[in-house]
């Protein structure tokens, strides 16, 4: 089961990083509506959230520091740092996956459930990134190569 969680994480973070790399630097300030987060804010939140969740599972909660970053290069770097931290947390180990974790949202839950929750959260952030890309006339990474105008799922 932890291998499946790792595979889902790898797909999700791969799409997130590809989206962050695909958006031009000047698109990082783009907001679909005044109330929406900018693309930059979504990338920063995603990096900080993933780093926090995974580093806590690895034994020492850290931040990527992305909230204060401004450039595309810095933010993509923060995502990649979070990915490296999460790669350690998602290392397949079914016995460890059954361990109960305390101190997180919603009370005690298994490590595996915590990992799935992180993936679902980051997938939600990717969905917002995909909307930003579409509104800028760009095909999201998860829709590339699907024929037509890239208007497949994702």
């Amino acid at each position: 089961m932890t291998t499946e969680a790792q595979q889902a994480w790898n797909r999700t973070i791969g799409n997130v990083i590809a989206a962050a790399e695909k958006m031009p630097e000047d698109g990082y300030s783009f907001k679909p509506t005044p109330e929406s987060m900018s693309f930059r804010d979504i990338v920063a939140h995603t990096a900080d959230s993933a780093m926090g969740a995974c580093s806590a599972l690895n034994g020492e909660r850290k931040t990527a520091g992305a909230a204060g970053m401004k450039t595309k290069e810095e933010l993509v770097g923060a995502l990649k740092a979070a990915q490296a931290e999460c790669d350690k947390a998602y290392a397949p180990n079914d016995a460890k996956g059954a361990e109960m974790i305390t101190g997180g949202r919603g009370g005690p839950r298994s490590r595996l459930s915590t990992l799935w929750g992180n993936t679902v959260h980051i997938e939600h952030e990717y969905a917002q990134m995909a909307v930003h890309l579409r509104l800028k006339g760009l095909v999201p990474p998860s829709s590339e190569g699907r024929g037509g105008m890239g208007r497949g799922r994702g």
Side-chain angles (χ1 to χ4, degrees), residues 71-148:
T71 70
K72 174 180 175 174
E73 182 180 2
E74 290 175 315
L75 289 160
V76 170
L79 284 173
K80 289 179 179 180
Q83 177 186 29
E85 188 70 29
C86 286
D87 285 350
K88 293 185 271 183
Y90 280 85
N93 183 333
D94 285 344
K96 197 171 182 178
E99 290 176 358
M100 295 304 289
I101 305 294
T102 59
R105 291 184 179 173
R109 58 195 247 192
S110 71
R111 180 181 179 91
L112 181 60
S113 175
T114 303
L115 291 169
W116 277 112
N118 181 61
T119 301
V120 168
H121 176 236
I122 302 307
E123 187 71 29
H124 169 79
E125 303 309 328
Y126 172 70
Q128 292 181 77
M129 293 170 78
V131 170
H132 283 68
L133 288 168
R134 290 263 187 218
L135 291 171
K136 292 298 254 176
L138 301 167
V139 177
S142 57
S143 295
E144 291 175 341
R146 293 181 183 248

Side-chain angles (χ1 to χ4, degrees), residues 39-55:
F39 191 83
R40 188 212 75 78
D41 292 340
I42 295 169
V43 173
H45 170 73
T46 302
D48 284 336
S49 177
M51 177 65 83
C54 292
S55 64

